[in-house]
Amino acid sequence: MNARAHELEVREVISETADAVSLIFDIPTDLTRRFVYAPGQYLTLRVPGDRTGSVARCYSLSSSPHCGDRPTVTIKRTPGGYASNWLCDNVSAGDILTVLEPAGNFVPRTWNRDLLLCAAGSGITPIMSILKSALTLGNAAIALLYANRDRDSIIFAPQLRDLARRHPRRLTVTHWLESERGLPTSRDLATWARSHRRHDVYLCGPTGFTATVKQALTQLRIPDRAIHQEEYRSLTDNPFEHHTSLTTEPPPSTPIATSDAATVRVDIDGETHTLPWPRNKKLLDLLLDHGIDAPYVCRESACGTCICHVDQGRTHMLHNEALIDDELSQGYTLACQTLPDSDTVDITFE
Ligand SMILES: Cc1cc2nc3c(=O)[nH]c(=O)nc-3n(C[C@H](O)[C@H](O)[C@H](O)COP(=O)(O)OP(=O)(O)OC[C@H]3O[C@@H](n4cnc5c(N)ncnc54)[C@H](O)[C@@H]3O)c2cc1C
């Protein structure tokens, strides 16, 4: 079992809409430090399944660590989806779920910059956490656009009304209902966003919606570095069911020439490990094979959980979805995709 998986009790289940529930977790004292999280991060839940033993699904925390909330995830049913419907139908207060520690990098680095928040449907979940935190921690102006099918499908409608009433000078909330106005076009969104175009953008929702928002942002010449996006998808890997490497293993007939291996020094959890690093072995796989408890969730470069810093030496990634140009130029990499280029490499997990 993944060393970052823990059993948590569900303290309360809140029905948010006909299609969405929030699960509030109790964190036992000995796990408090492991479940410290930042606004915008997510938990990964193990959902039992008779076909495969279990499936793993990520759910963003809708609670704010800065507002005295207990850690809470909010799950909306995906039509025909397995895990979301299982969670909505089966979980009650007092149940125990297996949950990975918080992860993700859809997290504002400062609370002083004005924010343009765009969400559709269940995409409101991390946005709600960011919104509440920003109102508590900084003085930024915040514009939220929240798109939904109809009035009944708005998650957190009373909370948003209350926040807008309490912060009239800082927060504007615009609801876009498909039932009243149709789907928003990029032109509609550009018109709405124009007066907020110097804000940092945080965007979360279904692919069609995020693509339209991005077109609008391009029309307004908002630079990519100001745009942060959380992409929802179901994991194909299952971090609960195994703990060894999956890919890029050479077939047994191709022995690894250890003389050609690089050497990596890894600082993680206050310890330093020095290991031979075969040229075709991804860093995360190398660490897990040596029993080193490196953080990971998706292993597909999407979640950003295995982010680490190259302090010395050269590496390259096979694939990158989670890191933006700024992070790459500062020397960050994703362990699940990283191979060595130079003979020696120093890595730090922060
Ligand atoms: C970072 C991140 C944050 C997210 N945050 C949220 C959030 O806050 N709120 C939210 O609602 N969603 C969120 N999501 C999306 C969420 O993780 C799921 O993708 C979504 O709930 C759909 O999952 P699903 O299993 O219901 O649907 P699907 O993934 O479409 O389910 C179908 C899949 O389940 C498998 N399956 C079907 N039946 C079984 C069975 N009996 N046993 C085993 N497998 C079966 C099938 O192979 C099929 O591939 C987030 C995703 C990411 C990556």
Side-chain angles (χ1 to χ4, degrees):
M1 179 66 97
N2 190 311
R4 289 171 200 264
H6 305 280
E7 305 216 309
L8 296 184
E9 183 174 333
V10 176
R11 182 188 178 91
E12 198 182 336
V13 179
I14 298 176
S15 175
E16 301 286 359
T17 66
D19 286 334
V21 298
S22 289
L23 308 181
I24 304 178
F25 289 105
D26 246 343
I27 310 293
T29 326
D30 58 324
L31 292 179
T32 312
R33 277 192 50 233
R34 292 188 166 267
F35 279 87
V36 169
Y37 65 97
Q41 287 197 303
Y42 61 87
L43 299 178
T44 305
L45 273 49
R46 180 182 183 278
V47 176
D50 43 12
R51 247 199 251 160
T52 51
S54 72
V55 295
R57 292 286 184 267
C58 306
Y59 291 100
S60 304
L61 287 138
S62 50
S63 48
S64 162
H66 304 291
C67 299
D69 300 344
R70 288 175 192 276
T72 304
V73 292
T74 303
I75 300 150
K76 181 169 177 174
R77 291 177 190 275
T78 295
Y82 175 66
S84 57
N85 286 293
W86 190 93
L87 288 163
C88 286
D89 290 334
N90 292 287
V91 180
S92 343
D95 286 354
I96 305 289
L97 291 178
T98 306
V99 179
L100 290 190
E101 291 166 19
N105 61 356
F106 185 62
V107 175
R109 305 277 173 239
T110 159
W111 298 103
N112 298 321
R113 293 185 57 82
D114 293 341
L115 295 173
L116 190 161
L117 307 177
C118 292
S122 60
I124 192 64
T125 301
I127 297 289
M128 190 68 182
S129 180
I130 291 170
L131 170 60
K132 289 195 286 184
S133 306
L135 288 170
T136 303
L137 297 176
N139 292 311
I142 305 166
L144 166 67
L145 182 124
Y146 185 19
N148 274 291
R149 210 174 31 239
D150 53 36
R151 200 159 292 281
D152 289 343
S153 45
I154 303 174
I155 303 173
F156 305 131
Q159 292 93 322
L160 289 170
R161 226 177 2 253
D162 183 51
L163 289 172
R165 203 170 32 228
R166 279 170 34 212
H167 302 275
R169 270 197 276 276
R170 293 181 57 200
L171 173 64
T172 57
V173 177
T174 305
H175 288 285
W176 189 289
L177 299 180
E178 189 188 335
S179 58
E180 293 175 6
R181 304 165 84 177
L183 289 173
T185 64
S186 61
R187 195 197 255 204
D188 297 327
L189 294 170
T191 306
W192 170 78
R194 189 170 303 279
S195 54
H196 316 295
R197 63 183 178 282
R198 302 207 191 291
H199 295 202
D200 279 356
V201 181
Y202 287 80
L203 165 62
C204 186
T207 321
F209 174 76
T210 53
T212 312
V213 173
K214 283 180 121 174
Q215 278 171 21
L217 301 176
T218 306
Q219 286 168 27
L220 296 173
R221 296 183 205 284
I222 295 179
D224 279 352
R225 72 184 131 74
I227 303 170
H228 309 266
Q229 183 181 343
E230 185 70 301
E231 203 178 309
Y232 281 0
R233 65 166 75 167
S234 293
L235 296 178
T236 48
D237 191 23
N238 186 334
F240 294 106
E241 301 291 342
H242 57 76
H243 202 146
T244 50
S245 59
L246 293 173
T247 49
T248 66
E249 221 65 72
S253 57
T254 354
I256 299 165
T258 40
S259 58
D260 183 42
T263 300
V264 63
R265 218 182 68 162
V266 180
D267 280 334
I268 183 167
D269 292 337
E271 292 178 357
T272 302
H273 307 265
T274 302
L275 306 168
W277 186 2
R279 301 279 171 180
N280 54 359
K281 185 110 183 154
K282 296 172 186 168
L283 177 59
L284 177 66
D285 294 349
L286 178 77
L287 299 178
L288 296 180
D289 285 355
H290 283 80
I292 297 166
D293 179 21
Y296 70 93
V297 174
C298 78
R299 288 182 155 191
E300 294 169 1
S301 94
C303 74
T305 309
C306 60
I307 187 171
C308 52
H309 189 263
V310 181
D311 303 328
Q312 185 274 126
R314 279 175 292 106
T315 61
H316 70 276
M317 275 192 278
L318 296 174
H319 191 61
N320 168 40
E321 290 181 38
L323 298 186
I324 58 173
D325 288 349
D326 258 9
E327 291 166 319
L328 295 173
S329 64
Q330 288 170 40
Y332 288 99
T333 191
L334 297 170
C336 74
Q337 300 295 323
T338 299
L339 298 177
D341 288 336
S342 55
D343 291 340
T344 60
V345 181
D346 292 353
I347 298 276
T348 300
F349 284 82
E350 286 161 359

